[in-house]
Structure formats: structure tokens, C-alpha cells
Amino acid sequence: MTDMNENPLDILPELLLAASAVLGLLLGAWLPRHRQWLVGLLAAVAACAGLVAAALAAARPDVTAFGGAFTADPVTSTSRLVVLGTLLLVLALAAGPFHAHPREAEFSVLLQLSALGALLLAGTQDLLLLAAAYLLASIPAYALAGFRKDGPGTEAALKYYVLGALLGVLMLAGITVLYAAGRATGYPLLGPALPEAPDVLVAVGAVGLLAGVLFKAGAVPAHFWVPDAVQGSTSPVAAFLTTIPKIGALAALLRLGEVLLAGSGMPWAAVLSVVAAASMTLGNLAAFFQDDVKRLLAYSAVGQVGYLLLPITVAGRSDLAQEALLYYLAAYSVTNLGAFAVVCALPRATRTGDYRGLARRRPLLAASLVICLLGLVGTPPTGVFVGKLTAFSAALDGGYAWLAVLAAVNTVASLFYYLRWIVPAVSSGGHEDGSTAPGTRPARAVAYTAAAISVGLGPAAGLVLPALSGSLTA
């Protein structure tokens, strides 16, 4: 690790996204409606430039910047690559439905700002920056959820906002309590002070922190917003809400457990194991009864958080934890986005039965859907299969065999509700599903691309996993 410094280039991917958002907001105020697609193009260019900057930064030694408040280590670097790559795909998904929309520029700006909040969540090493990143990731997302300004969208935004505001206040209260306990907000100073602090203060502060971070991850018991916000928002926004915020939140949670609270008296692993078990079980059980495809994917996202929490639970207990989480995040993000891309490509197909006969009318789209849904189950050779296998191995290695067994049972159970969607898609018959609706070509391209990446990540695991290892910077 190099010495601490104040070099803005250490946060170049974040700066590129912030500059693009500000410039896009200014351009949107002057460009005519039919030219506002230029703001989306600017966002895509910034994301591509950020990917290049993140890849170059990943090859350099780890650094901490701005008084140790932000760190660029393997967790941050991987999160940057996944968030920016996912943002590119979401921008492509939105290109059709929001083309020539009266607020097309604002939509692209909101996407970038919320993604920037996720990037800051992933790299923060200070409780104050954690709170600021939470707000930056959340407030634009509230506006995105209600962007259509119709009844379902307004309800989605309201529920999302009310729960986010409540849990955000609890997180701020937890930060205040931890500051009182350790007299610092930076993880390198606060972490060593917490073992000497009263256990009650540390426990109360940690629970407050968990409230906010679990809300962004969509985990139980802070998951109530997920099904309504996903169902009520537009499909590109639903794809965004179930992927990018999770990346930043889970990376922040890993850092909290391994750097800040590792030596405290807080039973961190035990609490997270209960949250993981509840999330995967409740998410899968609720998905069994869903016929609306967006609501089914919403509860699927809750269940997936449970699996993603496995390596975080054993962080510090297993050497596999970090690489398991980062690989699984990348595989889940692209696979989940591929499933939502199919939903975007078929805007009139809102129920699983509406997909009947899709294989006959759109064979490539049906193949992409099958690959992504089976990928979410964890079917080889997809990336999620390797991610789950590594996560289960980390749980076993860390002494949580019961949690790995429960996760395996939930994985088998989840196959049944995914099959309720797959079977109609590959069956004969059916009616016109809207796959030829205007503006769906980008969504189809995203579906094909995401399915290909999901399959390709599995065989590439031997090359990818070693690059994700390394200690967290403190």
C-alpha cells in the first residue's frame, strides 16, 4: 500500500461519473427534446472511460485517499468495474423506452448519480462518507422509481422513500453512537477503539448501521420496498434497482465487518447469518406465489442477497470470503440484468403465461431468458454457479456448515418458480407478446450480451477469482 495522499486521480472513475452527471444536467437544460439522447451518450462515454481508469487503477498498488476516507483496493476496483459495466447495460436498456422523453436527460443524470453513490459506498472507510454515499445512492433512486408519474410509479417511489428515510435516520443514529463509543469516524482509528468501548454502545451503533446498509442491499428485514418498487417502476429502473445499489451496499458491508467491527464485541457473524438465512428463505418462498414477472424477479433478488451474504458472514474466518463475494456480485449482476432485459424487450408480457410460445417467435430471446433464469438458480456453466459454489465453500470453511446446507436447499427450491416462467417460454402456442414493439432492439441486444457474459464467466473463473483476492486496505 502506498502512503496516504490527496491525489484526485485516485478517484478518477468517480470523478468522471460526477463530471458527466453535472455536464449532462447543464446540457439537458439547453438541448431540444430530440437531441437529449446526447446526454445518455455522454453518460455511456463517461462509464467507458471510468472502466478504463478502474482497470488501470486495479493494476497499481492499493492506495487510501483524502485522509483515509476512501480506499482503492481489490474490493473497490472490482465494484467499479461491475457498477460501471452494469450502468452501461442499463443505459442501453433505457435507450428505447426513454428516447425523446421530455425528461430523457434527467433520467440519465439520475442513473449516474445513484451509480456514483454505489461506487462511494464500495470504497468508503469513514462513517461520514458512508452516510453521504447512502444519500447519494438513495435520493436519485427515489426519483427514478417514480419517474413515470403514474399511479404504480408514485406508489413505488413513496414506499421506497419512506422506508429509505426511516432506515437512513437509524443509520445516522448508529453512526452517532459509534462515534460516541470510539471518538472517531474513520475505520482505521475507530476499529481499534471499539473493543475498549462498552458493548452496548457498539451493538446499538452496529445495528443502526446494518439498518441502512441492508436497506440498500434489499435484505430482510429491510426488503419490504423491493417488490413494490420493482413492480411499479419502469423495467430499466427495476433492473437498475436490483443490481447497482446491491453492489455498493454489500461491498460496504464486507468492509464494515472485516475492518471496522472485526475486533468488537458485536456478534457480527451470528447476526449476518440470521439475516442471510431469512433473506434467502423468505425471498424464495414469496417468489413461489408470483405470476407477475417483475415481482417474481424482485423476490428473486431478495433471495439472492441471502446467498451473497454468505461470504460476508465468514469474512475474516475464511480466505475465500472476499473473492467469493466479488465474483458472485459480478455474475449475479449481469445475469439478473439479462433477465430484466428480456422483460424490457417484451413490454406487453407482464405475466409468466404471456411468454408462452416465445421460443417459436423469438428463439434467441427465449434462449437468453432460459440461460439467465437457470443462471440465477446456479446451473453450470454460468458464472452464478461458480459464485454460489465458492460462497458455499467459504461458509463451510468459516464454520457455518448449517448456513451452506440451508442455502443449498433454497437453491434447489428456487428452481421450481423459475421453471414456472421457463416452461411457458419454451412451450408451443401463445399469443403476440409485444416483442416487435418499437424501441426494443437495444433491450434484445442487452439480453443476448448478458446471457453470453453469464455463460462465459463460468469457464473464466480460474482466471478471474485469483485477481479478486487481496487484503482490505485500512
Side-chain angles (χ1 to χ4, degrees):
M1 183 184 73
T2 62
D3 294 332
M4 290 190 302
N5 59 77
E6 308 299 329
N7 186 1
L9 293 180
D10 291 333
I11 57 169
L12 182 57
E14 291 78 13
L15 286 178
L16 288 169
L17 209 56
S20 173
V22 173
L23 183 57
L25 192 61
L26 295 174
L27 285 175
W30 295 97
L31 288 173
R33 181 183 300 180
H34 66 281
R35 293 288 179 85
Q36 291 201 359
W37 60 270
L38 290 170
V39 177
L41 178 61
L42 176 65
V45 171
C48 290
L51 282 170
V52 174
L56 293 175
R60 297 197 298 265
D62 300 346
V63 297
T64 55
F66 301 98
F70 189 87
T71 181
D73 56 17
V75 173
T76 307
S77 297
T78 305
S79 299
R80 284 169 167 173
L81 293 171
V82 178
V83 167
L84 292 171
T86 305
L87 177 61
L88 268 177
L89 295 178
V90 173
L91 287 168
L93 285 181
F98 290 95
H99 178 66
H101 190 280
R103 292 172 289 126
E104 182 179 2
E106 288 91 330
F107 183 83
S108 299
V109 170
L110 290 171
L111 285 178
Q112 292 175 89
L113 290 176
S114 187
L116 176 59
L119 291 179
L120 294 176
L121 278 172
T124 180
Q125 279 202 134
D126 190 283
L127 293 178
L128 296 180
L129 182 57
L130 178 69
Y134 172 90
L135 292 174
L136 183 57
S138 299
I139 294 175
Y142 303 149
L144 287 169
F147 201 78
R148 277 193 305 204
K149 293 186 177 180
D150 56 1
T154 301
E155 181 182 359
L158 183 61
K159 290 181 177 178
Y160 192 16
Y161 165 73
V162 169
L163 192 58
L166 172 63
L167 297 180
V169 168
L170 290 179
M171 188 177 81
L172 290 173
I175 290 173
T176 303
V177 171
L178 287 177
Y179 176 75
R183 299 298 178 183
T185 58
Y187 297 0
L189 295 177
L190 184 59
L194 290 182
E196 307 299 325
D199 290 342
V200 174
L201 281 181
V202 176
V204 170
V207 168
L209 275 182
L210 270 177
V213 180
L214 291 179
F215 165 77
K216 294 310 301 175
V220 172
H223 71 288
F224 293 103
W225 65 272
V226 178
D228 293 322
V230 169
Q231 185 182 26
S233 59
T234 62
S235 296
V237 171
F240 179 89
L241 294 179
T242 54
T243 49
I244 288 181
K246 277 182 172 53
I247 300 165
L250 292 170
L253 200 58
L254 176 69
R255 206 179 297 278
L256 284 171
E258 193 164 338
V259 176
L260 182 61
L261 298 168
S264 68
M266 169 76 178
W268 182 256
V271 171
L272 283 185
S273 67
V274 173
V275 173
S279 297
M280 68 177 76
T281 304
L282 189 147
N284 286 326
L285 286 177
F288 272 109
F289 306 99
Q290 305 305 319
D291 187 47
D292 184 285
V293 293
K294 287 166 68 174
R295 203 169 181 87
L296 186 151
L297 286 174
Y299 278 113
S300 167
V302 175
Q304 292 290 335
V305 174
Y307 307 130
L308 286 161
L309 285 173
L310 262 67
I312 300 178
T313 299
V314 296
R317 297 166 175 255
S318 171
D319 294 335
L320 298 172
Q322 179 176 305
E323 60 187 55
L325 173 66
L326 296 178
Y327 183 89
Y328 195 170
L329 273 176
Y332 162 75
S333 297
V334 71
T335 307
N336 182 68
L337 201 61
F340 269 105
V342 176
V343 176
C344 293
L346 305 172
R348 301 189 188 99
T350 60
R351 303 283 177 178
T352 54
D354 296 337
Y355 284 75
R356 186 171 300 278
L358 179 63
R360 175 176 56 83
R361 293 188 298 274
R362 293 282 181 178
L364 286 179
L365 202 59
S368 299
L369 178 65
V370 171
I371 288 171
C372 291
L373 293 182
L374 290 180
L376 289 173
V377 176
T379 307
T382 61
V384 175
F385 166 73
V386 179
K388 281 191 175 182
L389 187 62
T390 312
F392 294 173
S393 300
L396 290 170
D397 187 46
Y400 277 82
W402 69 268
L403 192 58
V405 171
L406 180 62
V409 172
N410 270 283
T411 296
V412 174
S414 69
L415 176 63
F416 293 97
Y417 65 80
Y418 289 120
L419 284 176
R420 290 179 58 240
W421 190 355
I422 292 173
V423 170
V426 299
S427 300
S428 60
H431 52 79
E432 180 57 40
D433 52 29
S435 59
T436 57
T440 60
R441 184 174 296 177
R444 296 198 297 271
V446 171
Y448 306 152
T449 303
I453 295 174
S454 180
V455 172
L457 269 177
L463 298 174
V464 176
L465 282 169
L468 305 179
S469 60
S471 59
L472 289 174
T473 305

